[in-house]
């Protein structure tokens, strides 16, 4: 079947009927603590980047805490150093397979 166009406040996403509501092939409850921490930091960095805000450990921790979650203290620092060294655009491109 044809992909369905799903609207969000700031963008439109093409989605197949099967993928609506599906974010990953593995439920979050099946992830290890380390995997969850990395995922939380990734989402926080993407949100900050999308908003045009500085990606700092403090900003990442604020978003993570606001979501009701927490991560090991070293994760936001590691992620921000990686983003600073490689650039957010390059990391997004790597993650999308391009």
């Amino acid at each position: 079947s044809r992909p369905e166009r799903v609207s969000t406040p700031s963008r439109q996403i093409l989605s197949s009927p099967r993928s609506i509501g599906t974010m990953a092939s593995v439920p979050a409850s099946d992830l290890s603590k380390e995997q969850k921490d990395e995922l939380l930091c990734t989402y926080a960095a993407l949100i900050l980047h999308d908003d045009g805000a500085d990606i700092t450990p403090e900003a990442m921790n604020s978003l993570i805490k606001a979501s009701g979650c927490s991560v090991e203290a070293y994760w936001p620092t590691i992620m921000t150093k990686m983003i600073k060294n490689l650039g957010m655009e390059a990391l997004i491109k790597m993650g999308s397979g391009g």
Side-chain angles (χ1 to χ4, degrees):
S1 69
R2 284 187 73 193
E4 177 181 335
R5 195 170 288 279
V6 179
S7 294
T8 63
S10 63
R11 59 182 69 91
Q12 290 186 343
I13 303 168
L14 285 177
S15 175
S16 70
R18 279 189 230 139
S19 69
I20 294 175
T22 303
M23 300 243 344
S25 61
V26 177
S29 59
D30 291 350
L31 299 175
S32 68
K33 170 69 171 142
E34 184 175 275
Q35 290 170 319
K36 288 177 187 176
D37 286 2
E38 183 178 3
L39 191 59
L40 284 163
C41 287
T42 300
Y43 287 154
L46 288 169
I47 290 166
L48 292 166
H49 175 73
D50 191 51
D51 197 38
D54 288 337
I55 302 172
T56 65
E58 297 79 19
M60 290 176 71
N61 275 317
S62 291
L63 276 174
I64 293 165
K65 287 179 183 174
S67 73
C69 298
S70 64
V71 297
E72 295 292 334
Y74 61 86
W75 272 109
T77 302
I78 289 173
M79 292 292 279
T80 55
K81 284 183 181 181
M82 180 179 62
I83 292 164
K84 182 180 176 185
N85 289 333
L86 299 175
M88 194 65 180
E89 295 299 329
L91 289 169
I92 291 170
K93 190 174 181 179
M94 280 188 251
S96 66

